[in-house]
Amino acid sequence: MDYTVFLDFWFRDRPMVERVVAAAALGLRRIDVWAWRQQPMAELAAECRRLGVAFTSTFDDQMGSLADPGDNERSLRAWAESLEMAVRHGVEHLYVFSNQVESVNGQDWSRRLSANYSQAEQYANLLSQTERLLKLAEPTPVTLWVEALNEFHIQGGILVHNHALAADWVRRFNHPKLRMVFDCYHQQRDSGNLLWGLEAYHGLYDVVHIADTPTRQEPGTGEINFANLRRKLGELGYDGLVGLELYPSTSEAEALDKIKRVFPI
């Protein structure tokens, strides 16, 4: 296993590019960022190369909603741009969500659909668009990571909002370029059943995101029993990534020390 750290959550007292240096100084050799169009991607990629840090992932906050037939042209255009960016800057993975999320007055909302489509129509469109995305991704080294987003704090409805739906999405294609993210924070907020889910969906996910609830901080700050989750992953022989998509409750060094006690690598 290896850690990958989300720079939007860590080292927030300094500019984004300097956060790569701070992560490397703590021994973190993989980084992720949100919303690539808002980031200094060329500078981040150059710093990663200089320090020998892998650029694990990002996503496009303007990708449109795959569930919305009215967004099809926009989504394909945005995804072509995202894949070109990822290849150019050495980003290994791009996140895939069923719906675009937008912030309105500090509240996250899913983007309003262009018409009153049923859930069945939305899911059929999502699958059709995913087939097109995979054709775009196949000639590249980039893998797509499907992530379910919880409806607890994202208002307006998310089509794929739990791991059962994310797993169904991935299983329907059985494609090496389409994998799943097991996000403990989102799953606990939406459906729970973390231990059951880790076992049921083992083999579909390449990364497990750890963030406690309701704090979205490191293990030990909330209600999730991460020691049991780590034990289950050991039983399953999991050897993928551990995503640190969390806010350190104190210093980054102290948070990482707590993480290492529960998730030694």
Side-chain angles (χ1 to χ4, degrees), residues 10-11 21-28 252-253 256 260:
W10 289 59
F11 315 107
V21 180
L26 283 183
L28 296 167
E252 283 79 7
L256 184 58
K260 287 180 175 179

Side-chain angles (χ1 to χ4, degrees), residues 210-227:
I210 59 169
D212 220 333
T213 60
T215 58
R216 204 164 192 175
Q217 295 173 326
E218 71 271 11
T221 57
E223 65 191 10
I224 299 177
N225 188 329
F226 281 102

Side-chain angles (χ1 to χ4, degrees), residues 48-233:
C48 285
R49 289 192 297 271
R50 184 179 75 84
L51 296 168
V53 171
F55 206 145
T56 303
S57 72
T58 187
F59 65 85
D60 183 4
D61 64 343
Q62 297 298 318
M63 70 178 71
S65 294
L66 297 181
D68 186 353
D71 271 1
N72 284 354
E73 183 178 343
R74 170 187 179 175
S75 290
L76 289 176
R77 182 173 60 252
W79 269 97
E81 293 169 355
S82 287
L83 284 163
E84 187 279 330
M85 175 281 304
V87 171
R88 177 161 29 103
H89 295 309
V91 179
E92 298 173 346
H93 309 89
L94 292 172
Y95 283 89
V96 189
F97 314 118
S98 62
N99 299 75
Q100 182 176 314
V101 176
E102 300 173 337
S103 182
V104 180
N105 297 324
Q107 172 65 60
D108 289 333
W109 290 80
S110 62
R111 187 166 182 247
R112 185 187 295 273
L113 299 177
S114 59
N116 188 27
Y117 299 106
S118 69
Q119 287 193 331
E121 290 171 325
Q122 293 176 53
Y123 202 58
N125 193 76
L126 176 146
L127 296 176
S128 178
Q129 284 294 92
T130 301
E131 185 174 4
R132 296 184 179 101
L133 297 188
L134 287 171
K135 288 180 180 178
L136 292 177
E138 281 172 350
T140 78
V142 181
T143 299
L144 310 185
W145 275 350
V146 166
E147 183 173 9
L149 304 176
N150 81 82
E151 295 183 297
F152 182 86
H153 66 247
I154 301 173
Q155 302 301 304
I158 298 288
L159 181 65
V160 177
H161 59 88
N162 60 43
H163 287 147
L165 289 167
D168 180 76
W169 183 357
V170 171
R171 281 172 171 155
R172 283 174 183 259
F173 288 92
N174 189 29
H175 195 294
K177 288 284 184 180
L178 190 70
R179 303 286 291 163
M180 177 180 157
V181 178
F182 195 100
D183 190 301
C184 295
Y185 175 82
H186 281 294
Q187 179 69 7
Q188 180 71 359
R189 282 294 206 187
D190 187 276
S191 306
N193 291 325
L194 296 179
L195 288 171
W196 180 88
L198 285 173
E199 185 166 1
Y201 310 131
H202 179 62
L204 299 179
Y205 52 86
D206 293 332
V207 59
V208 175
H209 287 178
I210 59 169
D212 220 333
T213 60
T215 58
R216 204 164 192 175
Q217 295 173 326
E218 71 271 11
T221 57
E223 65 191 10
I224 299 177
N225 188 329
F226 281 102
N228 281 349
L229 297 186
R230 178 64 183 89
R231 189 175 302 113
K232 173 58 69 175
L233 289 171

